[in-house]
Amino acid sequence: VTSKPVNRKMTDSGADEVKKGLLYASGLCARSEQCVLDIRTKLLRRGLGAADAGKIIAYLKANKFIDEQRFADSFVRMKLRQGNWGPRKIRQALLAKGIADVMIRKAMEQSDDDAHCANAYKAALRKAKGLNMAQAADRQKVYRFLMSRGYQGETITRVMSRLGAEADDLFNEDDNCNS
């Protein structure tokens, strides 16, 4: 009795690993927005091959588990809400995650300059505590700090001029840059 050769691309144990990888990746995507690069890295770290990881990612994209635009939008909202990063740093982080420039621009449209300025002002206040803002060296520390956080020069200039106001006005409840 001759049996027909079975045309399998993977062994049963390989198929089990792919199923486990798919369950793992879909669970990650169900909990929070993920980008392709993060999912690929996590699958490869779990020992899946690049081809299997690619198949899983294609499945996740086809079934809307992964959507890079949705990820970019969520990432920008999260970083704005946390208030720690300026627009440059957010943009660089998204580029590092492999998000297309068009998607980044679209996601960044949801942020406004007032929100960035208010976040920069709060960050500058935290940094300026204990510093003498009358001294150029301390002003430079705050300026460099805001630059490292990804805020733009215009926003930093507005914040720094506000920090140069009288000490009594530094800690009022108005957190925008227009006063």
Side-chain angles (χ1 to χ4, degrees), residues 42-113:
K42 290 173 184 176
L43 289 173
L44 294 175
R45 201 175 295 144
R46 287 179 65 98
L48 264 74
D52 291 338
K55 289 176 188 175
I56 291 171
I57 289 170
Y59 176 85
L60 294 172
K61 284 176 118 178
N63 289 288
K64 305 287 188 215
F65 280 90
I66 297 176
D67 183 325
E68 300 264 280
Q69 185 63 60
R70 202 172 58 213
F71 171 79
D73 292 344
S74 173
F75 189 85
V76 169
R77 276 192 310 273
M78 176 187 62
K79 293 302 179 185
L80 283 176
R81 188 175 52 250
Q82 290 175 344
N84 294 328
W85 288 9
R88 285 188 192 150
K89 193 165 184 175
I90 293 171
R91 178 178 171 66
Q92 289 297 17
L94 287 170
L95 285 171
K97 290 185 175 286
I99 306 299
D101 193 45
V102 172
M103 291 182 189
I104 294 171
R105 272 190 258 120
K106 186 176 178 187
M108 293 298 288
E109 287 174 0
Q110 69 184 333
S111 66
D112 61 351
D113 289 339

Side-chain angles (χ1 to χ4, degrees), residues 121 133 159-170 179:
Y121 182 70
M133 293 305 290
V159 168
M160 295 303 291
S161 67
R162 184 157 181 218
L163 283 177
E166 293 180 38
D168 293 342
D169 294 334
L170 283 179
S179 53

